[in-house]
Amino acid sequence: MVEPDAVAILPKLVWHYGEPFADASAVTGLDFPDDGRGLAVVDWDQDGDLDLWFSNRTGPRVRFLRNDSNSKNSYVAFRLRSESANPDAIGAEVELFFKGEDDERHIRTLRAGSGFISQSSKWVHFGVPEGREISHAIVRWPAGESSEHRGVTAGQRWTLRDTSPEPEAWQGAQRTLALKTGGIPRGQ
């Protein structure tokens, strides 16, 4: 039975800068008429800025928004590895410290399954303002221990392990992405 008053809930991006919340969907380019169901945030092209994948109930079923920012800011990203029963370190908390900064906290928690039918990347990603240097990162692991990791620099990806204070520079293959517009090819 279809209810005559049923309506699709359109995705919205709201901005909170004081009161009240404001709909920022149109100015960000996220004002699609899709019936959105899931969102995954990932640095798909591995250029340091976060890209978005949307899943929708209505077409298009999948939508990709590539972030090609011209910002002079940088980033640092961490892949956490644990020797415990939780090797992906889900639930770990990473705190990033910048040189010369004592009071501002920069904290991210590694989560899994944070959205409906979607999962974001397991990379813990931080933006690094232009001109800032990283002092160190502290990881509070799910098993209860903490570790301090020095020697991480901006503009790179690092693997942090609960068994070693030494960060490992991640050397992954550069991902290329070629998207074509148009319909699905038939008969191939």
Side-chain angles (χ1 to χ4, degrees):
M1 179 171 119
V2 177
E3 295 183 32
D5 293 335
V7 295
I9 299 172
L10 300 178
K12 297 279 185 198
L13 178 70
V14 293
W15 180 261
H16 185 247
Y17 190 75
E19 294 292 334
F21 285 92
D23 183 354
S25 303
V27 296
T28 61
L30 297 175
D31 57 341
F32 304 115
D34 308 339
D35 189 1
R37 298 297 183 196
L39 170 67
V41 180
V42 60
D43 183 5
W44 185 258
D45 51 4
Q46 299 174 4
D47 64 352
D49 51 32
L50 296 173
D51 307 303
L52 304 175
W53 285 96
F54 292 91
S55 64
N56 301 300
R57 187 181 65 82
T58 57
R61 298 297 301 244
V62 177
R63 188 185 292 272
F64 174 69
L65 275 73
R66 181 175 171 173
N67 182 355
D68 285 326
S69 172
N70 291 328
S71 173
K72 298 206 183 315
N73 294 328
S74 190
Y75 76 100
V76 66
F78 301 108
R79 172 73 78 190
L80 305 181
R81 293 291 181 233
S82 176
E83 297 297 320
S84 74
N86 179 0
D88 287 333
I90 303 300
E93 186 177 83
V94 180
E95 187 169 5
L96 187 67
F97 294 86
F98 293 110
K99 290 181 180 177
E101 190 172 294
D102 296 326
D103 55 353
E104 193 171 341
R105 296 171 51 111
H106 307 273
I107 300 173
R108 301 281 185 275
T109 302
L110 180 56
R111 303 182 191 281
S114 59
F116 177 67
I117 64 170
S118 57
Q119 161 108 22
S120 291
S121 170
K122 288 187 276 186
W123 283 96
V124 180
H125 187 279
F126 290 88
V128 177
E130 181 182 16
R132 299 306 307 264
E133 288 185 55
I134 298 170
S135 169
H136 63 284
I138 293 178
V139 181
R140 286 179 273 287
W141 299 94
E145 309 88 26
S146 291
S147 59
E148 184 174 304
H149 304 269
R150 294 191 173 271
V152 297
T153 54
Q156 287 189 267
R157 295 169 175 271
W158 300 89
T159 299
L160 304 180
R161 299 182 187 279
D162 63 354
T163 56
S164 172
E166 298 299 320
E168 301 167 24
W170 184 77
Q171 300 297 326
Q174 187 69 21
R175 182 179 291 154
T176 58
L177 179 66
L179 297 178
K180 297 179 182 177
T181 60
I184 298 171
R186 305 269 182 216
Q188 293 183 6

